[in-house]
Amino acid sequence: MIRNIIFSLFVVVFVGIGCKRGGIMVETSTSDTRTLFARVSETGTIQPTIDVPVAPDVSGEVVTIAVAEGQKVKKGDLLITIRPDDYRAQLEQAEASLSRAKAAYLQAKASTSQAEATLMQDSISLKRTEGLFRDKVVSQVEMENAQLRYNVSKSQLASAEYNGQAAFYQMRSAEASRKQARQSLDRTNIYASMEGTLTLLNVELGQRVVGTSMMSGTEILKISDLNRMEVVVEINENDIVNVHFNDSARIEVDAYPDRVFYGKVSEIAYSATTAGIAATDQVTNFEVKVAISPESYEEMMKENPSIKSPFRPGMTALVEIYTDKQENVVAVPIEAITLRGQENEGGVAIGGEEVVFLFDGQKVTRQTVETGINDGEYIHIKSGLNANQEIITGPYTILSNTLESEMEVEKKTEEDQRGRSGG
């Protein structure tokens, strides 16, 4: 009973207060002139701009590791050695085969020279026999024998020449085999192809690795240029159309919560990546790379000159890419914009328009506006509103459904609005 009485008194007091304030209570703000930045925000990972994975060209057992992860290397420094015994034996075998091929080629050349001499002798003999045959000094049989010897010598020379060519190409093949064997032996020593920092060492002493001649090979280490770093993010297909090459970006790195870095868009993928199993769940994104400006962490490098970069590959970063900028434009809080439907003569909704509600201190006026970019808090008003006009910003349900032109409302006090925002 006492509870019901208290509840009734509460309702009476609440209604009395509501009547005293005039019914609908609203929150207001004032349009002003601002510089707005349209932006796209995504989380990504930091990686070197130049990141070279190293895999051996030959397979075998690792017998020497001359570097350690995190070590700085110069181009040409020895990194890894693979056991060379088998490849040294292959080289010796190839050199022996080349020696045999050279000997066979020299022998073929000698046979060709001998065949040329025999042909020359038989050619002279044939001419002499032809003269004697015309003088009827020799018989028809002797003439035919001379001609036969000449034809045989001619065919033997052709055969010797063909054998010489075959021996020459066999020698060239043996030379190529020796060159290949020497290259394989040389490739048992793996050298740095660039100057940088060893950011990954993925091999142990005694481990067997697979060379690139067999599939993709074993990635044994990675050399990175830490002087140039970038953030790789995936931008949704709805936002990628607004991102352009060289757009400015603001970067926040989780490892440095009190610092802000800057950069520019350096690369935009034209092929999409999709995530999700079912077709209805798939999300289409495009990879975007943002190069971090060295000037934005110059002071950090001065504090610790021994490091190449304050960043490490794989660090997490939040990137805000600024896709558009509008200076000195009329702007209002984004919650002040509401979409109201238009009706035809029959009272049927046929579309919608963006509107704001102006406040003159007592009544509201509906005003159609055209909007532009927004920065998440404020939105650009292209037309329909000037600066320094008071507008309704809330509550949302009243702004989006209840308010109509010429409706009387009462503005909440600043204390009420602070209390609401604090709650």
Side-chain angles (χ1 to χ4, degrees):
M1 184 68 177
I2 295 175
R3 182 182 299 175
N4 292 337
I5 293 173
I6 293 173
F7 179 78
S8 300
L9 290 174
F10 177 80
V11 171
V12 170
V13 172
F14 180 82
V15 172
I17 293 173
C19 292
K20 181 180 179 181
R21 292 187 177 182
I24 298 177
M25 304 294 292
V26 296
E27 300 165 1
T28 66
S29 182
T30 303
S31 59
D32 60 0
T33 302
R34 292 175 175 268
T35 296
L36 299 180
F37 295 88
R39 59 195 176 192
V40 176
S41 300
E42 285 294 342
T43 300
T45 56
I46 295 177
Q47 69 177 27
T49 302
I50 301 177
D51 196 30
V52 180
V54 177
D57 293 312
V58 296
S59 303
E61 178 189 348
V62 176
V63 294
T64 302
I65 300 178
V67 290
E69 189 167 331
Q71 180 178 334
K72 298 173 185 177
V73 296
K74 295 181 179 180
K75 184 177 181 179
D77 285 352
L78 177 65
L79 306 175
I80 302 289
T81 298
I82 296 173
R83 186 176 297 280
D85 299 1
D86 292 343
Y87 298 99
R88 189 176 290 114
Q90 291 176 9
L91 176 59
E92 293 172 355
Q93 184 178 0
E95 288 177 341
S97 297
L98 176 60
S99 298
R100 287 196 301 270
K102 285 182 177 180
Y105 175 62
L106 293 175
Q107 186 176 1
K109 287 181 66 176
S111 298
T112 301
S113 299
Q114 183 178 357
E116 287 175 347
T118 303
L119 177 62
M120 184 181 297
Q121 181 180 1
D122 290 342
S123 175
I124 294 172
S125 178
L126 175 61
K127 289 181 180 179
R128 184 184 304 113
T129 303
E130 286 177 345
L132 294 175
F133 180 72
R134 284 194 298 270
D135 295 337
K136 297 182 180 181
V137 175
V138 296
S139 65
Q140 178 73 27
V141 174
E142 290 178 326
M143 175 62 192
E144 291 174 352
N145 288 336
Q147 182 68 49
L148 179 60
R149 286 193 299 272
Y150 173 78
N151 291 339
V152 170
S153 297
K154 188 175 181 180
S155 63
Q156 287 176 343
L157 175 60
S159 176
E161 288 175 343
Y162 288 137
N163 290 336
Q165 290 181 356
F168 173 76
Y169 289 119
Q170 286 177 354
M171 182 182 67
R172 294 294 299 272
S173 176
E175 287 176 346
S177 297
R178 183 188 65 173
K179 182 179 179 180
Q180 185 176 12
R182 185 177 296 279
Q183 287 178 344
S184 296
L185 178 61
D186 293 340
R187 287 170 179 171
T188 57
N189 289 324
I190 302 171
Y191 300 94
S193 59
M194 58 173 278
E195 182 176 354
T197 302
L198 204 67
T199 54
L200 175 67
L201 183 59
N202 195 29
V203 68
E204 298 290 341
L205 199 64
Q207 180 178 339
R208 293 193 63 84
V209 294
V210 178
T212 53
S213 59
M214 301 177 64
M215 300 176 291
S216 59
T218 303
E219 182 179 324
I220 57 175
L221 53 86
K222 188 177 292 184
I223 302 175
S224 305
D225 182 3
L226 299 183
N227 290 319
R228 290 181 289 173
M229 305 294 283
E230 63 188 10
V231 185
V232 181
V233 295
E234 291 192 352
I235 304 297
N236 187 270
E237 60 182 325
N238 298 322
D239 296 321
I240 194 65
V241 294
N242 299 318
V243 178
H244 303 90
F245 182 75
N246 270 342
D247 278 350
S248 298
R250 182 178 185 272
I251 303 166
E252 296 179 4
V253 181
D254 289 358
Y256 302 104
D258 300 328
R259 294 181 181 267
V260 175
F261 307 93
Y262 299 94
K264 289 187 176 181
V265 174
S266 59
E267 188 176 326
I268 303 173
Y270 281 87
S271 298
T273 59
T274 56
I277 301 175
T280 55
D281 297 332
Q282 285 186 351
V283 178
T284 302
N285 295 322
F286 292 81
E287 187 177 270
V288 174
K289 295 180 179 179
V290 178
I292 305 175
S293 172
E295 289 77 12
S296 63
Y297 54 88
E298 187 174 5
E299 290 298 324
M300 298 179 67
M301 296 296 294
K302 290 180 180 178
E303 296 171 4
N304 192 356
S306 63
I307 62 173
K308 284 285 186 180
S309 171
F311 310 111
R312 296 191 179 188
M315 283 184 171
T316 303
L318 173 66
V319 177
E320 290 184 348
I321 301 173
Y322 297 101
T323 59
D324 197 2
K325 178 182 179 181
Q326 296 292 331
E327 297 183 353
N328 301 321
V329 295
V330 177
V332 300
I334 199 168
E335 60 266 22
I337 304 297
T338 183
L339 189 67
R340 290 297 182 92
Q342 296 175 320
E343 297 181 352
N344 59 17
E345 295 179 356
V348 179
I350 60 174
E353 58 184 6
E354 293 179 312
V355 301
V356 297
F357 285 92
L358 303 176
F359 181 57
D360 62 4
Q362 191 171 18
K363 296 181 180 181
V364 298
T365 303
R366 173 171 162 170
Q367 176 64 45
T368 302
V369 295
E370 181 184 0
T371 62
I373 67 171
N374 72 84
D375 63 1
E377 295 183 12
Y378 290 86
I379 188 168
H380 173 204
I381 303 298
K382 292 183 176 180
S383 62
L385 197 65
N386 297 320
N388 299 317
Q389 290 186 272
E390 192 169 13
I391 55 172
I392 307 298
T393 58
Y396 171 76
T397 54
I398 293 175
L399 183 62
S400 59
N401 298 314
T402 306
L403 287 186
E404 295 293 344
S405 287
E406 302 302 318
M407 183 177 288
E408 292 188 3
V409 298
E410 185 172 346
K411 181 171 67 172
K412 290 184 179 181
T413 65
E414 293 184 4
E415 183 178 349
D416 289 338
Q417 294 192 43
R418 283 198 300 269
R420 180 178 182 273
S421 61

